[in-house]
Tab-separated table of all heavy atoms in Angstrom:
chain	number	residue	atom	x	y	z
K	503	ALA	N	-92.758	-176.022	69.389
K	503	ALA	CA	-91.643	-175.094	69.580
K	503	ALA	C	-91.097	-174.583	68.257
K	503	ALA	O	-90.915	-173.385	68.034
K	503	ALA	CB	-90.555	-175.746	70.405
K	504	ALA	N	-90.845	-175.598	67.424
K	504	ALA	CA	-90.268	-175.162	66.143
K	504	ALA	C	-91.212	-174.315	65.349
K	504	ALA	O	-90.838	-173.246	64.822
K	504	ALA	CB	-89.870	-176.446	65.366
K	505	GLY	N	-92.478	-174.753	65.278
K	505	GLY	CA	-93.425	-173.939	64.492
K	505	GLY	C	-93.712	-172.597	65.108
K	505	GLY	O	-93.800	-171.579	64.425
K	506	GLY	N	-93.804	-172.583	66.438
K	506	GLY	CA	-94.102	-171.272	67.107
K	506	GLY	C	-92.963	-170.285	66.870
K	506	GLY	O	-93.168	-169.108	66.681
K	507	PHE	N	-91.752	-170.869	67.028
K	507	PHE	CA	-90.612	-169.972	66.799
K	507	PHE	C	-90.597	-169.420	65.382
K	507	PHE	O	-90.298	-168.264	65.143
K	507	PHE	CB	-89.310	-170.754	67.100
K	507	PHE	CG	-88.075	-169.970	66.782
K	507	PHE	CD1	-87.653	-168.948	67.599
K	507	PHE	CD2	-87.326	-170.227	65.610
K	507	PHE	CE1	-86.530	-168.229	67.309
K	507	PHE	CE2	-86.206	-169.495	65.326
K	507	PHE	CZ	-85.791	-168.497	66.172
K	508	HIS	N	-90.998	-170.292	64.471
K	508	HIS	CA	-91.041	-169.838	63.060
K	508	HIS	C	-92.053	-168.741	62.885
K	508	HIS	O	-91.806	-167.745	62.177
K	508	HIS	CB	-91.373	-171.064	62.204
K	508	HIS	CG	-91.432	-170.703	60.735
K	508	HIS	ND1	-90.314	-170.434	59.968
K	508	HIS	CD2	-92.509	-170.579	59.925
K	508	HIS	CE1	-90.685	-170.155	58.748
K	508	HIS	NE2	-92.037	-170.216	58.686
K	509	VAL	N	-93.249	-168.863	63.526
K	509	VAL	CA	-94.304	-167.821	63.403
K	509	VAL	C	-93.836	-166.505	64.015
K	509	VAL	O	-93.993	-165.431	63.470
K	509	VAL	CB	-95.589	-168.297	64.040
K	509	VAL	CG1	-96.611	-167.166	64.131
K	509	VAL	CG2	-96.153	-169.464	63.298
K	510	TYR	N	-93.207	-166.628	65.203
K	510	TYR	CA	-92.742	-165.396	65.870
K	510	TYR	C	-91.723	-164.681	65.015
K	510	TYR	O	-91.763	-163.460	64.830
K	510	TYR	CB	-92.124	-165.779	67.236
K	510	TYR	CG	-91.332	-164.642	67.857
K	510	TYR	CD1	-91.991	-163.587	68.444
K	510	TYR	CD2	-89.930	-164.660	67.804
K	510	TYR	CE1	-91.274	-162.540	68.980
K	510	TYR	CE2	-89.239	-163.663	68.386
K	510	TYR	CZ	-89.868	-162.595	68.983
K	510	TYR	OH	-89.197	-161.554	69.556
K	511	LYS	N	-90.797	-165.498	64.476
K	511	LYS	CA	-89.769	-164.877	63.670
K	511	LYS	C	-90.372	-164.244	62.437
K	511	LYS	O	-89.986	-163.154	62.003
K	511	LYS	CB	-88.742	-165.954	63.280
K	511	LYS	CG	-87.544	-165.404	62.526
K	511	LYS	CD	-86.564	-166.503	62.265
K	511	LYS	CE	-85.311	-165.924	61.571
K	511	LYS	NZ	-85.589	-165.292	60.326
K	512	HIS	N	-91.401	-164.929	61.919
K	512	HIS	CA	-92.058	-164.374	60.698
K	512	HIS	C	-92.705	-163.015	61.025
K	512	HIS	O	-92.560	-162.052	60.260
K	512	HIS	CB	-93.109	-165.370	60.206
K	512	HIS	CG	-94.026	-164.727	59.174
K	512	HIS	ND1	-93.599	-164.440	57.862
K	512	HIS	CD2	-95.289	-164.319	59.289
K	512	HIS	CE1	-94.618	-163.921	57.227
K	512	HIS	NE2	-95.681	-163.824	58.069
K	513	GLN	N	-93.398	-162.908	62.147
K	513	GLN	CA	-94.085	-161.666	62.507
K	513	GLN	C	-93.058	-160.556	62.736
K	513	GLN	O	-93.205	-159.414	62.316
K	513	GLN	CB	-94.929	-161.834	63.753
K	513	GLN	CG	-96.156	-162.736	63.566
K	513	GLN	CD	-97.176	-162.058	62.655
K	513	GLN	OE1	-97.107	-160.859	62.435
K	513	GLN	NE2	-98.096	-162.862	62.092
K	514	LYS	N	-91.984	-160.942	63.391
K	514	LYS	CA	-90.947	-159.942	63.648
K	514	LYS	C	-90.323	-159.487	62.365
K	514	LYS	O	-90.131	-158.273	62.136
K	514	LYS	CB	-89.878	-160.535	64.568
K	514	LYS	CG	-88.783	-159.543	64.921
K	514	LYS	CD	-87.765	-160.193	65.861
K	514	LYS	CE	-86.680	-159.188	66.185
K	514	LYS	NZ	-85.641	-159.758	67.095
K	515	ASP	N	-90.027	-160.462	61.505
K	515	ASP	CA	-89.411	-160.083	60.227
K	515	ASP	C	-90.371	-159.259	59.405
K	515	ASP	O	-89.968	-158.363	58.672
K	515	ASP	CB	-89.024	-161.356	59.426
K	515	ASP	CG	-87.861	-162.082	60.129
K	515	ASP	OD1	-87.173	-161.411	60.944
K	515	ASP	OD2	-87.669	-163.260	59.855
K	516	ARG	N	-91.668	-159.578	59.540
K	516	ARG	CA	-92.701	-158.814	58.776
K	516	ARG	C	-92.690	-157.364	59.177
K	516	ARG	O	-92.693	-156.455	58.351
K	516	ARG	CB	-94.058	-159.435	59.043
K	516	ARG	CG	-95.216	-158.807	58.273
K	516	ARG	CD	-96.491	-159.623	58.586
K	516	ARG	NE	-97.616	-159.106	57.803
K	516	ARG	CZ	-98.460	-158.190	58.210
K	516	ARG	NH1	-98.262	-157.678	59.413
K	516	ARG	NH2	-99.442	-157.817	57.456
K	517	ARG	N	-92.652	-157.134	60.484
K	517	ARG	CA	-92.643	-155.748	60.977
K	517	ARG	C	-91.337	-155.055	60.595
K	517	ARG	O	-91.323	-153.900	60.150
K	517	ARG	CB	-92.827	-155.697	62.474
K	517	ARG	CG	-94.244	-156.040	62.940
K	517	ARG	CD	-94.499	-155.639	64.395
K	517	ARG	NE	-93.587	-156.319	65.300
K	517	ARG	CZ	-93.823	-157.517	65.846
K	517	ARG	NH1	-94.923	-158.161	65.549
K	517	ARG	NH2	-92.934	-158.068	66.647
K	518	LEU	N	-90.239	-155.789	60.753
K	518	LEU	CA	-88.981	-155.189	60.394
K	518	LEU	C	-88.882	-154.849	58.939
K	518	LEU	O	-88.395	-153.786	58.537
K	518	LEU	CB	-87.823	-156.114	60.813
K	518	LEU	CG	-87.581	-156.301	62.319
K	518	LEU	CD1	-86.548	-157.353	62.581
K	518	LEU	CD2	-87.178	-154.971	62.950
K	519	SER	N	-89.388	-155.778	58.144
K	519	SER	CA	-89.341	-155.516	56.668
K	519	SER	C	-90.203	-154.311	56.298
K	519	SER	O	-89.802	-153.485	55.499
K	519	SER	CB	-89.821	-156.783	55.939
K	519	SER	OG	-88.965	-157.860	56.219
K	520	LYS	N	-91.366	-154.321	56.907
K	520	LYS	CA	-92.249	-153.178	56.566
K	520	LYS	C	-91.644	-151.868	57.041
K	520	LYS	O	-91.667	-150.860	56.315
K	520	LYS	CB	-93.625	-153.414	57.199
K	520	LYS	CG	-94.636	-152.337	56.824
K	520	LYS	CD	-95.998	-152.676	57.428
K	520	LYS	CE	-96.989	-151.579	57.089
K	520	LYS	NZ	-98.318	-151.846	57.655
K	521	ASN	N	-91.144	-151.815	58.251
K	521	ASN	CA	-90.506	-150.577	58.777
K	521	ASN	C	-89.324	-150.185	57.935
K	521	ASN	O	-89.094	-149.010	57.685
K	521	ASN	CB	-90.123	-150.758	60.251
K	521	ASN	CG	-91.331	-150.805	61.162
K	521	ASN	OD1	-92.372	-150.308	60.787
K	521	ASN	ND2	-91.161	-151.383	62.338
K	522	SER	N	-88.580	-151.231	57.526
K	522	SER	CA	-87.412	-150.909	56.699
K	522	SER	C	-87.854	-150.286	55.391
K	522	SER	O	-87.223	-149.385	54.875
K	522	SER	CB	-86.584	-152.184	56.442
K	522	SER	OG	-86.083	-152.704	57.639
K	523	LEU	N	-88.938	-150.868	54.845
K	523	LEU	CA	-89.453	-150.307	53.589
K	523	LEU	C	-89.853	-148.863	53.767
K	523	LEU	O	-89.519	-147.993	52.947
K	523	LEU	CB	-90.656	-151.130	53.123
K	523	LEU	CG	-91.312	-150.651	51.824
K	523	LEU	CD1	-90.317	-150.729	50.630
K	523	LEU	CD2	-92.557	-151.480	51.538
Side-chain angles (χ1 to χ4, degrees):
F507 174 75
H508 180 73
V509 171
Y510 166 75
K511 185 176 183 301
H512 168 73
Q513 292 291 344
K514 182 179 179 181
D515 292 340
R516 182 176 184 269
R517 288 194 300 272
L518 291 174
S519 299
K520 183 177 179 181
N521 288 338
S522 297
L523 179 62

